[in-house]
Structures are given as structure tokens and as C-alpha cells.
Amino acid sequence: MGLEVATAAAAAADGSEVATALHPGVRVWVPDALDAWIAAEVLAITGDTVKVAIGSGAGKTEKEVRASDCNLQEKGHAEEDMVKLNYLHEPGVLHNLGARYSLDEIYTYTGSILIAVNPFQRLPHLYDHHMMDQYQGMALGELSPHVFAIAEAAFRTMVKERYSQAILVSGESGAGKTETTKQIMHYLAHMGGSSGASKRAGGDTSARPVEQQVLESNPLLEAFGNAKTVRNDNSSRFGKFVEIQFDANNRISGAAIRTYLLERSRIVTINDPERNFHIFYQLCDGASDDERKSLRLGSPKDYYYTNQSTCVNLTGFDNAVEYGATRHAMDIVGISKAEQDNVMRVVAGILHLGNVTFSASKEDDDGCELADDAARTALGDAAAVMMIDGERLEKALKTRTIATRDGLITKPLDVAAATNSRDSLAKTLYSRLFDWLVQKINASIGQDPDSKSFIGVLDIYGFESFKTNSFEQFCINLANEKLQQHFNQHVFKMEQEEYEREAIDWSYIEFVDNQDVLDLIEKKPIGIISLLDEACMFPATTHEQFANKLYTALKDNARFTKPKRSMTAFTLTHYAGEVTYESDYFIEKNKDFVVAEHQALLGASELELLVDIFEAKPE
């Protein structure tokens, strides 16, 4: 949320006030192509043009800039709370954060919001029990900024007002969201540590405390839900809401983990030098000889779903050691050895499935066939490890059954459609498996049906803009637009309304309100989501037709533009900047249905796990 705060606040700068304050000798920030902003001193002013000096001594240079590009510098030291800054603009915020970071102060407040700058190193002294004791009972702002102060404020408010609380942890990939979430949970465990196990059905009270079980489930969620991205070797590719429940004595009595927005596309497509989900590499490198034989395993370089990137190993991580940690985490949450083996069968089956390739059929112009012997071997391996019929698997991938008035018709699929069917099956398998693991974790931890209140910790990855952006980025960025709106409501609108009610002398701040972006996406009947849902109602609608409908309905919206060189992409101007989305698979991904043939095939597996997860959630 930190950079989002700075972006929203930057709009508060009043250009006319800055212009009148400029005179020779004044220190300012001016734009710089390399460093974004650079310190300078005003030398002279001619109309709207300002001559400034940058640097000093032999390296001193002069340049002319517009007065509106000059941002006044603070004269004092770096502030712990940036609300105290005289000039709350982007360069001022960034300089303040940088100055504190250089002093090893990674935390800074903006009112009740904590901004954390990732130190990319372990700082154990910041998070020990002595530090927790210091923040216990202290009001926000009484001590130096710290994540424990936020957790303490939530806990004390819950105790005092008997209302449930929520803590939002947001930021870009690599910002340290997952680690911050862990520290919040450590503090809540310190303050409200349970005196025993959770209240489970069956009265089992022999297990470890709830908070310990939640923390111990992290390696399992990270193995199946985290991956290496360009910026972060252990990036969470799903959102997580952890609900810590408290009893009448303010002791932790239960918990629940809810996950959403798993990055399903990563299962079948990865960019170099990123990786797929950790578990694929862990299994390939960490499986025992017996497992390798049973699962017909090779190395990550042997599989299409993992060899699209040159990155296989991570610096400082051993895939085999991590595999052992994942297995141990599965033991801890109560997943039996037999169930664990079944889970790995599904993971291995997905790897084999990715190597099933197709070529155009020599007998049917509209159909396809397995490309070669390697494809046939891969299909046989996938069927064997997942205990499904190989012939039925091949048919499910190469054809589609359509219901008509005259009965069922089997339609052959071309190479592209069959490949898409294969990838759809892989994504369905993995996402269902992930949901099953979360259910097992929640069943192990146990929820307290009699809990009086809870503290929820929302860990969500922030705004995303990649070289290619699809439906996943669209959903993630919509979630962040909603959070930004909440931030605007909390920090600007509500505060200013309070000042007006109390007749406090208050200079109104002009901030960027993103309600128009939300309307563009969500408003019925001509928002993007409504138009997408409408397109999904008609099976024959193509992505070109969907894109044309968007262009026609939204062409006059200032936040929506059509790229010149594309017939299916569209660009949205979000609060954080422009993002161009490729709409090619929006319809398929929005439907998110399980193909009937896939459902029947997997439901008939001899593998109990597959039968369980495909019967438990029928379409």
C-alpha cells in the first residue's frame, strides 16, 4: 500500500502555491530520467521557466525546467510519520522513505497506515519477544513505526470495542507482504496465544495451539501457491485472508484460511527467467528412487510446463530439501502418507500432461492426432500416474461432445483447440488440488463456532502490469482499484468530512478519485464485466466480437482506449497507470467451467483423491 499512498498523496500538491514560493536559493526536486527525482537549487526564474543547479563542485550542471515540475524540499530531518511533512508530494515521500531506509529504519507511518520497505535481509532483532513486549499496550505513534504497532492497534481495538478488525497487507511482488503477514500473526499469537487447541468437532484438544498450526501450514501453501517471478524468488501467486478467531477472554480459539485469485495461467505458461509453482521442482529433485519410478519422473528440464524458462534452481534454496519441508508440513496438518502420495501423483500427472502434443490429422481435416511417440508416451505416463483410462484421456483431449436436439454429437478438435483443452485440464487439476489442500489445512486447524470476534489479515498482491496482461491481471487490478477506493474513503473523504463537521479550518485536498475506473469496469449494463458476462451467455461469441463490443460501447470513456495495432486488446488508465490487456481468452477464463468430458474422466479415476475433488465440487 506504501507506494499507493505516495501516489494518491502526490496529487495533493498545489502547483500555484509552489510557483509563488520559488525564488533563487530555494531547494527543490525536479524530474530526472534516471532517478525519477533529483535535488536541485533554483538559480533564476523567467515566467514559467526555472533555471536550476544540480549537483555541486566539478559535477555541477544547470538546466531549465517548468515551474510546475518543481517540488519544494523539506528543510528538516526525515519524519517517522509523513503526515508531518510540509510537502506531501511524490519526491518528498520517496526521499523521506529513502532517508529512513539508509538509517536501517524500514518502517514509516502515514497516519494510521504503515509503509514497509523490504530490507532483503533478515533482521531478527526487530521481531523478537523483547520487541513484542515493548509494543504491548502502546498506542499507535508512541513508539517508532513497526508492524507490531499495527497488530497491537487492531488487537486493542477489538478488545475495547468488541468489534472484529481487519489488517490489509498490499504491495507489488517482492515488497515483503507474506513476511509482514507472518510477523502480524506472530504478534497476535504473542498477545492472544491460546491456552489449548482449537474447539474442534470431536473434542480433540491434544493438538498444538491454533496460531502455531496456522504458521506451520505456511510451507505447504508456499510450495503449491508461490513461484519465482522477475522481482521475487518466493512470490505468493494467490491472495490469502487469514481469520484469527478469539474467545470471550480474548484468547485465540480458532482460525480459517481463505484463498482466492490463484494464478492458474502460470501452471501452463511461464516467462523466462520465472518459474512455475515450487512444488513441481521440489518433486522432480526431491522424490525418492521409489517415487521417481512410480511417478515416471524426469527432471524439470524434461517437461514443457517447467522448461519454458531457463531457471530451474533458486539461489540459496535446495529443491530436494524444500520437498522434505513440504512433506513435513503435510504431516503437521494431518494429511496421511497415502493422501500425500496421491497429491504427488496429481502433480506428476500434470507435468506429463504438458508433454502431450498434437499435429493435424491426416484423415480428418478438422481434427488432430498425437504428434509423435514422445506425445504418446507422455499421455500414457499421465494416465498411469493419475490412474485414469489412457484411451478416454486421449479422446477427452482431442474431441468435444455437443448436445443437440437430435442427441449428442462428437466434434473433433484442431491442434490449437486440443492444446487449449490439455492446458484447461491441467489448470483445473491444479486449482482443484490447491483448494483441497486449503480445506485440509482448515480442517486441521479448526474453527471456533462460538468465537466472539476475529482479526483478519488480508495478504494480496498489488497492481500488476506485465508485457502481456490477460484476465488474471484484470481481476488483480480490479481488486486493487477497490482497495484504492477504500483508501481514498478512509484517508481523504472521511477525514475531510470529519473536519468539515467540526468546523476545523481545512484546505481541501484534490485527490485522484478512481470511482470512474470502477464504473467503467463494474457498472451495469455497459461496464466491461457486464459486457463480458453477456458475451459468455452466447457460445458462438468470439473474442474479436467481444473486443468490438467493448470498442463500440466504451469508445467515449476517457479511461478506455484501443491500441492502434491490435484488434482485440484494450487499454485502461488505472489509478497507478495505463495497462494494456489482451482480451483473447477473457471469455474462456471468465466461464471457468470444467469440460464435461474432463469431469467424467477424472471422476472415474481409481485415484481416490481425484474422485474426491471432482465429486465434491460438481459443475
Side-chain angles (χ1 to χ4, degrees):
M1 182 65 91
L3 291 179
E4 295 168 13
V5 173
T7 304
D14 189 327
S16 61
E17 291 183 10
V18 172
T20 57
L22 292 176
H23 56 79
V26 167
R27 300 288 297 175
V28 294
W29 298 103
V30 296
D32 180 74
L34 183 62
D35 295 323
W37 300 95
I38 194 168
E41 180 180 335
V42 175
L43 298 177
I45 304 171
T46 305
D48 188 45
T49 302
V50 180
K51 180 184 285 188
V52 298
I54 299 171
S56 59
K60 185 176 182 178
T61 60
E62 296 181 1
K63 67 182 293 187
E64 291 186 345
V65 298
R66 295 178 302 175
S68 58
D69 286 336
C70 295
N71 293 272
L72 299 174
Q73 285 190 33
E74 298 283 334
K75 293 182 179 180
H77 56 79
E79 294 284 357
E80 288 187 345
D81 188 342
M82 291 196 291
V83 168
K84 297 177 182 178
L85 293 176
N86 292 311
Y87 310 114
L88 195 58
H89 45 52
E90 182 178 316
V93 167
L94 295 175
H95 173 71
N96 194 80
L97 293 173
R100 287 182 55 75
Y101 188 79
S102 67
L103 299 173
D104 292 330
E105 298 286 354
I106 64 171
Y107 292 119
T108 305
Y109 287 130
T110 299
S112 62
I113 295 169
L114 181 72
I115 299 175
V117 182
N118 194 339
F120 292 102
Q121 59 178 304
R122 298 201 177 277
L123 303 171
H125 67 283
L126 268 183
Y127 306 109
D128 57 22
H129 285 285
H130 173 69
M131 187 67 74
M132 293 182 188
D133 291 337
Q134 283 187 297
Y135 282 85
Q136 186 172 342
M138 305 299 289
L140 196 68
E142 288 189 12
L143 296 178
S144 298
H146 200 291
V147 66
F148 290 162
I150 298 295
E152 169 68 19
F155 183 78
R156 290 298 161 193
T157 303
M158 179 194 73
V159 171
K160 183 179 179 181
E161 300 183 6
R162 307 310 305 176
Y163 284 129
S164 295
Q165 303 292 305
I167 300 172
L168 167 64
V169 184
S170 182
E172 63 183 350
S173 178
K177 299 181 297 298
T178 299
E179 198 60 35
T180 296
T181 299
K182 289 179 185 176
Q183 296 303 336
I184 291 171
M185 290 171 60
H186 276 301
Y187 188 85
L188 294 177
H190 181 72
M191 293 302 298
S194 55
S195 55
S198 57
K199 298 178 181 178
R200 303 180 192 175
D204 178 11
T205 59
S206 61
R208 294 166 313 289
V210 172
E211 62 276 9
Q212 185 180 347
Q213 294 178 66
V214 173
L215 292 169
E216 287 174 341
S217 69
N218 276 324
L220 181 54
L221 287 174
E222 289 183 4
F224 284 84
N226 287 26
K228 170 184 165 55
T229 62
V230 174
R231 298 180 179 178
N232 182 4
D233 283 355
N234 190 34
S235 176
S236 298
R237 307 316 300 161
F238 65 101
K240 178 172 64 177
F241 183 77
V242 182
E243 184 179 297
I244 307 296
Q245 299 162 344
F246 295 82
D247 61 20
N249 296 318
N250 303 315
R251 308 294 288 178
I252 294 176
S253 58
I257 299 173
R258 296 180 177 86
T259 60
Y260 47 90
L261 288 178
L262 177 70
E263 190 181 29
R264 290 161 48 105
S265 60
R266 181 172 295 270
I267 301 158
V268 299
T269 307
I270 50 175
N271 298 316
D272 200 10
E274 298 190 349
R275 293 205 321 175
N276 211 315
F277 292 103
H278 294 326
I279 188 60
F280 292 116
Y281 307 88
Q282 293 179 7
L283 177 61
C284 287
D285 291 352
S288 66
D289 290 341
D290 286 343
E291 282 182 294
R292 302 186 70 80
K293 183 177 180 181
S294 173
L295 301 179
R296 308 185 182 192
L297 281 175
S299 75
K301 294 180 180 179
D302 296 327
Y303 300 105
Y304 175 70
Y305 287 158
T306 48
N307 67 17
Q308 296 171 48
S309 167
T310 57
C311 181
V312 172
N313 298 304
L314 301 178
T315 304
F317 290 88
D318 185 315
N319 291 329
V321 172
E322 296 298 318
Y323 180 66
T326 299
R327 281 282 200 166
H328 179 63
M330 296 173 90
D331 289 334
I332 287 175
V333 300
I335 299 176
S336 69
K337 175 68 167 59
E339 288 176 325
Q340 292 181 36
D341 291 342
N342 288 348
V343 167
M344 298 311 164
R345 280 185 170 275
V346 176
V347 175
I350 292 170
L351 285 174
H352 292 306
L353 194 61
N355 284 4
V356 179
T357 55
F358 307 92
S359 61
S361 175
K362 298 175 183 177
E363 300 175 357
D364 187 339
D365 293 340
D366 296 327
C368 67
E369 58 189 26
L370 295 178
D372 49 31
D373 289 341
R376 279 185 280 275
T377 299
L379 185 134
D381 289 343
V385 298
M386 291 192 292
M387 299 183 181
I388 54 181
D389 183 84
E391 291 184 2
R392 287 188 65 186
L393 173 59
E394 181 178 352
K395 183 179 179 182
L397 295 178
K398 290 167 47 179
T399 63
R400 187 71 67 248
T401 301
I402 303 172
T404 68
R405 292 179 180 178
D406 299 324
L408 298 177
I409 297 176
T410 300
K411 174 188 175 185
L413 300 179
D414 60 22
V415 172
T419 302
N420 186 52
S421 176
R422 176 202 69 189
D423 290 345
S424 175
L425 176 57
K427 289 186 287 186
T428 299
L429 277 166
Y430 195 86
S431 58
R432 287 286 184 93
L433 177 62
F434 186 77
D435 290 343
W436 181 86
L437 288 168
V438 173
Q439 290 174 4
K440 295 293 286 187
I441 291 170
N442 282 330
S444 171
I445 295 170
Q447 298 189 49
D448 178 10
D450 302 318
S451 106
K452 300 301 179 184
S453 52
F454 69 84
I455 294 178
V457 184
L458 176 62
D459 173 358
I460 181 172
Y461 39 95
F463 187 82
E464 290 193 341
S465 179
F466 300 134
K467 184 177 180 180
T468 301
N469 302 285
S470 188
F471 188 64
E472 291 84 358
Q473 283 68 47
F474 178 77
C475 293
I476 291 164
N477 292 342
L478 170 59
N480 278 278
E481 287 283 3
K482 300 287 280 188
L483 293 174
Q484 182 68 15
Q485 175 76 348
H486 177 76
F487 168 77
N488 287 345
Q489 292 277 358
H490 182 70
V491 174
F492 291 112
K493 294 181 180 177
M494 291 172 58
E495 288 293 325
Q496 291 178 166
E497 289 171 2
E498 181 73 17
Y499 282 17
E500 289 172 0
R501 279 196 299 270
E502 297 182 12
I504 296 174
D505 186 16
W506 171 247
S507 178
Y508 188 80
I509 291 179
E510 290 290 340
F511 60 89
V512 179
D513 190 344
N514 65 335
Q515 184 60 52
D516 57 338
V517 186
L518 293 174
D519 289 343
L520 169 63
I521 296 172
E522 296 182 305
K523 195 170 183 178
K524 296 180 180 181
I526 57 168
I528 294 173
I529 291 177
S530 293
L531 294 173
L532 178 58
D533 288 341
E534 182 180 299
C536 290
M537 294 171 63
F538 300 95
T541 303
T542 65
H543 52 263
E544 290 92 349
Q545 291 170 329
F546 167 62
N548 286 329
K549 184 163 285 191
L550 291 181
Y551 300 150
T552 301
L554 305 173
K555 65 180 186 295
D556 296 328
N557 193 302
R559 295 273 196 170
F560 181 95
T561 55
K562 175 188 178 300
K564 292 181 179 179
R565 298 183 179 181
S566 175
M567 298 304 294
T568 56
F570 63 92
T571 300
L572 297 185
T573 303
H574 290 281
Y575 74 91
E578 289 189 351
V579 179
T580 297
Y581 298 98
E582 303 295 335
S583 70
D584 293 16
Y585 295 104
F586 267 46
I587 293 175
E588 291 84 349
K589 291 177 179 180
N590 188 51
K591 289 178 181 176
D592 196 25
F593 63 87
V594 178
V595 176
E597 291 89 335
H598 297 173
Q599 176 87 29
L601 173 71
L602 297 169
S605 169
E606 295 178 18
L607 196 64
E608 187 178 343
L609 172 62
L610 285 180
V611 175
D612 182 24
I613 62 179
F614 280 90
E615 282 188 345
K617 295 174 69 176
E619 295 298 322

